Amino acid sequence: MQALTDNALMLKVKSGDLNTLGLLYERHKKRLFGFFYNMNSNPSLSEDLVQNVFVRILKYKHTYTGEGSFTAWMFRMARNVNYDHFKKNKNNRETNDLSSISFKLQDSKDTNSEQDRKDVISTVQRAMNLLPPEKREVLVLSKYKEMKFSEIGEILGCSEGAAKVKAHRALKDLRTVFMQLEKR
Amino acid sequence: MDTTQFEIWVMDYLSGELDEASIQRFEKFLTDNEEYQKQFDVLLSSWEQLNALEVPEPSEKMDTQFFEMLSNATEKNDKIPWYKKLQMGIRQGMDSLVQSKLAYGALVLILGLTLGYFFRNGATEVDASSEMASTSETKQVREKLVLTLLEQPSANQRLQGVSEANKFEKVDDKVVNALLKTLNNDPNVNVRLAAIESLIKYVDNPLVREGLVQSIVKQESPILQVTLANLMVALQEKKSIEPFRKLMRTKELDTTVIQQIERSIETII
């Protein structure tokens, strides 16, 4: 149960009670980490990017108006952080396919069905990495059960309907890439 | 059916944004339209795969980095002169006044008062439990902040950590141990003194009392030795007599300190 809404906490941060940011961090750190991890498959980089989001929240706290959802505002920052990072490291994309390889090796004793499931997950992850970032992003956001499409629209800067259409088409593309990888 | 319309409908269904009646309508539509059913089945399996994607837990390093960043930011913020903070506060107050649209605010107030009158008892219960949830969440975050601050290389930040530790109603063993570690090992006398002051607040806790007694023989600074001697007199802590005697036997103490400790032992006996 969360007594104080994210909105109220962020307004406290804005008014100078910076320690309150700790509460927002505890509430959202896993979700943000999951967002970055699903975008880049690199846990250490994802942790750094989560940190960058909160640095940015502090830097731009004066722009927070309290209108709309805090989550949408925070994820807009997360998108920008992700975008800036990959713009800076254009020639050095940090994806970590090794993690899925070692993941396969260490589980050689698993039963066949469990191994099959893990193979599928690994292929889906690879398919995700091959999608353009904007498609990957909309899929990662729709994965969160607690996030409504109205919020996803707010984050992506489009209408709720457009966000749903984007998600649908990205899902279709994911399927196409996945099938191509399965055939190899 | 229009393609876009179908795409939106599918996402509504998959993300659970449809009510029961709409779900039934959607499923009937699929049964009646084989082509759409096929398209949907393909997407459903992708959706399930997407949801099966695993995410590892972030490491503790992420928390440490965050709380270090936060304590640095808080320290910087505390250095802003009071008149600037006041200016910022007034500006924000003005902003929110304009944004809140007074008329709407008044309406909500009247509505709130009316509802409050009717649901007074129920609301009190909700408020109380909300308050408890909020307090426990704040306590957890404060604990993390204290533990991180006490590990910082800057004495100012460690002092800030001790001062944060004063804000607990009831202190956790982890925080007590961190404060005792600070009292015994911190290179800065002021931080060690602040740690004693903070621990005094929790002397009802046996772990704190025991830790303070054990700390007697570890102190090198006269001011800390005297402070602990005074504290033990105030607490009438008989267990402290032996450690004080040991301190006098094993360390070369200042004459004033020896006199003070001897007086303390007499008072406690």
Side-chain angles (χ1 to χ4, degrees):
Chain A
M1 188 168 157
Q2 295 182 347
L4 283 170
T5 62
D6 289 345
N7 199 7
L9 291 176
M10 188 57 218
L11 288 171
K12 277 182 144 199
V13 174
K14 184 181 177 181
S15 68
D17 182 1
L18 301 193
N19 281 339
T20 309
L21 189 69
L23 282 175
L24 289 168
Y25 169 79
E26 288 297 333
R27 284 182 186 179
H28 297 285
K29 65 179 181 185
K30 283 194 181 167
R31 201 147 53 135
L32 275 175
F33 175 78
F35 171 75
F36 289 122
Y37 182 80
N38 280 321
M39 292 297 287
N40 61 42
S41 305
N42 181 332
S44 152
L45 171 65
S46 301
E47 290 186 356
D48 288 347
L49 296 179
V50 170
Q51 172 89 340
N52 290 352
V53 172
F54 284 95
V55 169
R56 226 176 250 221
I57 288 180
L58 276 184
K59 191 172 172 192
Y60 295 106
K61 61 182 189 304
H62 62 281
T63 66
Y64 187 72
T65 59
E67 284 169 14
S69 106
F70 168 77
T71 314
W73 186 73
M74 180 184 72
F75 269 100
R76 276 205 301 277
M77 297 245 179
R79 280 184 85 209
N80 291 338
V81 163
N82 196 49
Y83 176 78
D84 288 351
H85 174 80
F86 284 105
K87 203 169 93 183
K88 256 192 218 161
N89 301 279
K90 228 181 201 170
N91 302 319
N92 182 26
R93 273 204 67 195
E94 295 177 61
T95 51
N96 187 7
D97 275 346
L98 280 177
S99 61
S100 54
I101 295 167
S102 59
F103 173 65
K104 276 185 193 172
L105 289 175
Q106 74 186 25
D107 296 316
S108 55
K109 284 179 194 163
D110 287 343
T111 57
N112 285 344
S113 64
E114 182 57 11
Q115 189 55 54
D116 287 349
R117 191 188 71 85
K118 286 180 175 173
D119 285 347
V120 169
I121 291 175
S122 157
T123 313
V124 177
Q125 187 63 63
R126 277 163 57 217
M128 279 285 275
N129 291 344
L130 290 169
L131 285 181
E134 62 277 10
K135 299 211 174 202
R136 217 179 316 151
E137 189 176 70
V138 71
L139 287 179
V140 174
L141 292 173
S142 4
K143 214 166 93 91
Y144 296 124
K145 290 185 178 58
E146 62 274 37
M147 202 182 280
K148 299 257 174 247
F149 269 103
S150 54
E151 276 183 308
I152 298 177
E154 229 182 290
I155 296 167
L156 301 179
C158 64
S159 70
E160 184 180 340
K164 287 174 189 168
V165 172
K166 278 177 195 230
H168 184 112
R169 293 180 185 170
L171 201 56
K172 251 181 171 170
D173 289 356
L174 177 71
R175 180 74 190 168
T176 310
V177 180
F178 175 82
M179 294 312 284
Q180 282 166 354
L181 290 173
E182 285 275 278
K183 275 181 200 159
R184 280 183 196 171
Chain B
M1 174 182 268
D2 173 32
T3 313
T4 311
Q5 224 180 325
F6 178 67
E7 286 173 341
I8 292 176
W9 208 8
V10 170
M11 290 322 293
D12 279 337
Y13 180 82
L14 290 177
S15 61
E17 289 194 16
L18 290 182
D19 59 31
E20 199 48 50
S22 310
I23 290 172
Q24 281 176 10
R25 230 180 12 254
F26 178 74
E27 287 172 349
K28 184 167 184 322
F29 171 80
L30 290 182
T31 320
D32 296 345
N33 297 277
E34 203 182 331
E35 191 46 44
Y36 284 111
Q37 177 76 60
K38 274 184 198 160
Q39 282 183 41
F40 173 76
D41 289 344
V42 169
L43 275 181
L44 179 64
S45 75
S46 276
W47 179 255
E48 283 167 352
Q49 286 168 352
L50 180 71
N51 283 303
L53 281 183
E54 287 158 356
V55 173
E57 285 286 309
S59 71
E60 278 183 17
K61 199 182 112 210
M62 185 169 96
D63 286 351
T64 313
Q65 277 178 344
F66 169 78
F67 284 105
E68 268 177 37
M69 180 278 288
L70 186 60
S71 76
N72 285 334
T74 315
E75 197 181 13
K76 237 191 228 167
N77 189 50
D78 290 344
K79 284 180 187 160
I80 298 175
W82 63 270
Y83 56 89
K84 284 229 164 155
K85 281 188 185 169
L86 186 66
Q87 269 179 349
M88 277 156 57
I90 291 171
R91 204 176 305 141
Q92 272 165 14
M94 294 298 282
D95 284 355
S96 56
L97 255 183
V98 174
Q99 278 164 11
S100 64
K101 297 167 190 133
L102 280 173
Y104 178 69
L107 184 69
V108 172
L109 181 68
I110 292 165
L111 192 68
L113 286 173
T114 317
L115 285 173
Y117 177 78
F118 287 111
F119 298 107
R120 204 167 29 188
N121 294 335
T124 313
E125 280 164 27
V126 171
D127 281 355
S129 61
S130 299
E131 191 61 39
M132 272 168 67
S134 163
T135 311
S136 114
E137 207 182 358
T138 311
K139 190 177 171 239
Q140 278 174 14
V141 174
R142 181 161 287 137
E143 266 174 27
K144 277 199 176 173
L145 186 64
V146 169
L147 297 176
T148 311
L149 285 171
L150 290 179
E151 292 295 326
Q152 296 307 302
S154 140
N156 267 345
Q157 286 187 327
R158 296 199 302 279
L159 272 175
Q160 202 190 333
V162 175
S163 110
E164 279 296 317
N166 283 327
K167 296 177 186 168
F168 293 107
E169 282 291 316
K170 205 176 158 209
V171 76
D172 189 66
D173 284 0
K174 252 195 260 173
V175 175
V176 170
N177 286 327
L179 285 171
L180 288 171
K181 194 176 149 202
T182 302
L183 169 62
N184 294 329
N185 304 312
D186 200 285
N188 185 300
V189 177
N190 291 327
V191 179
R192 295 206 299 274
L193 269 176
I196 293 190
E197 276 172 38
S198 181
L199 284 162
I200 288 173
K201 202 180 155 202
Y202 309 112
V203 280
D204 289 342
N205 180 336
L207 183 65
V208 172
R209 254 180 128 97
E210 187 62 33
L212 286 168
V213 170
Q214 282 176 11
S215 167
I216 293 170
V217 287
K218 293 175 184 157
Q219 298 305 329
E220 303 282 345
S221 148
I223 189 162
L224 275 142
Q225 290 159 346
V226 171
T227 307
L228 276 174
N230 288 336
L231 176 62
M232 292 303 143
V233 171
L235 295 175
Q236 283 297 299
E237 182 57 69
K238 293 205 177 352
K239 282 186 198 160
S240 67
I241 297 172
E242 194 38 47
F244 275 129
R245 286 185 174 143
K246 191 177 170 193
L247 185 73
M248 288 194 289
R249 277 198 308 271
T250 53
K251 286 188 178 153
E252 259 184 50
L253 302 181
D254 189 280
T255 328
T256 333
V257 175
I258 294 175
Q259 286 169 355
Q260 176 67 41
I261 291 179
E262 281 172 344
R263 268 203 303 275
S264 300
I265 291 175
E266 277 170 30
T267 322
I268 295 172
I269 289 172

